[in-house]
Amino acid sequence: MSNENYISYSATQDFLSARRRSSTLIASGVMLCIFSPIVLLILISLTRLDILTWSINFATGIGVIVLLAFIAAAVALFIAGNRWLKVHENYEYEDCNLSNNVREKIIKENKVYENQHMIFKIIGITFCILSAIPLMSGALFVDALASSRLDDLMTGFSSATLLLVGIDVFFLVKTNIIHDSFNIILQLDDYTSEKKAGKKLIEKYATIY
């Protein structure tokens, strides 16, 4: 194969760099979507527990405004992240022909990132497990509160669960996008030549849909 058919090292770095930027933006957007109802749930809980003297309608109105602001910010991040995904996006569906020298460099970079990938996965999974604690802690107040008051308290506790889930998802989404970037270039796991061809076919039908 002639050298002119190989992907240059600078092109691979442009691709990987763009995907890193996209990973942060998209992961932040997903996290904001999960965070969006937190203020609403907290305000409703505090109002019904008489900790706040606001009316329930006022508290709900403020919460919905914050929710929409978070969603708007998330959408902006998704649009910005998608822009960076467009950099050499053809690599995801076409064969990536690398010279031996470039392949060795990418493999080394991938091995270096594997440590960070593992740390991010550990953080994400840990927060995922911890996210059950706020809801389970409601059992501590079963005997102390009436059923309706316990429901109001659990509404507030659910916001803590969403907070932990949002952090969990941020780390997992971010690291998986970056990890997949190396797989795309090196054509590993779900991005072998055969699977890329299948993805390209599916993408055509998905676009029509």
Side-chain angles (χ1 to χ4, degrees):
M1 183 179 296
S2 60
N3 290 337
E4 60 190 28
N5 292 324
Y6 289 134
I7 297 174
S8 66
Y9 180 68
S10 61
T12 64
Q13 292 305 297
D14 289 342
F15 173 76
L16 293 173
S17 177
R19 298 275 295 197
R20 286 191 180 94
R21 293 181 182 181
S22 177
S23 70
T24 301
L25 293 170
I26 292 176
S28 297
V30 175
M31 183 175 65
L32 286 180
C33 286
I34 297 173
F35 283 175
S36 61
I38 287 179
V39 172
L40 174 62
L41 294 173
I42 291 175
L43 291 180
I44 290 175
S45 178
L46 293 178
T47 300
R48 287 180 173 172
L49 290 171
D50 299 324
I51 297 175
L52 285 179
T53 57
W54 297 349
S55 69
I56 190 65
N57 290 334
F58 182 79
T60 301
I62 295 296
V64 170
I65 290 172
V66 175
L67 183 150
L68 293 176
F70 271 60
I71 295 297
V75 171
L77 290 172
F78 289 145
I79 294 173
N82 186 62
R83 172 180 176 271
W84 290 109
L85 285 180
K86 296 295 183 181
V87 177
H88 299 306
E89 65 175 337
N90 57 301
Y91 292 172
E92 189 171 350
Y93 308 104
E94 300 175 0
D95 284 342
C96 295
N97 299 317
L98 305 175
S99 66
N100 292 334
N101 183 44
V102 172
R103 179 175 293 277
E104 289 176 3
K105 290 181 179 179
I106 300 301
I107 290 174
K108 288 181 180 179
E109 292 177 13
N110 187 28
K111 288 182 178 179
V112 171
Y113 182 73
E114 279 298 326
N115 293 328
Q116 186 175 349
H117 179 57
M118 182 60 64
I119 292 172
F120 280 5
K121 285 179 64 177
I122 291 173
I123 293 174
I125 293 172
T126 300
F127 274 97
C128 182
I129 296 172
L130 293 176
S131 66
I133 293 178
L135 293 180
M136 295 182 67
S137 62
L140 301 174
F141 300 90
V142 170
D143 297 330
L145 297 174
S147 178
S148 59
R149 302 288 283 180
L150 181 62
D151 289 342
D152 295 336
L153 181 64
M154 291 304 296
T155 299
F157 281 175
S158 64
S159 63
T161 293
L162 289 177
L163 178 67
L164 294 173
V165 170
I167 297 173
D168 149 45
V169 170
F170 172 84
F171 283 103
L172 293 181
V173 170
K174 177 179 174 63
T175 193
N176 282 329
I177 290 177
I178 298 174
H179 187 256
D180 282 347
S181 302
F182 286 105
N183 288 341
I184 290 170
I185 290 292
L186 297 173
Q187 301 191 154
L188 303 172
D189 296 341
D190 292 331
Y191 296 95
T192 60
S193 296
E194 295 77 12
K195 291 182 178 180
K196 279 187 176 183
K199 286 179 180 290
K200 188 173 184 180
L201 179 63
I202 293 173
E203 185 68 17
K204 291 181 179 179
Y205 290 103
T207 301
I208 295 173
Y209 177 78

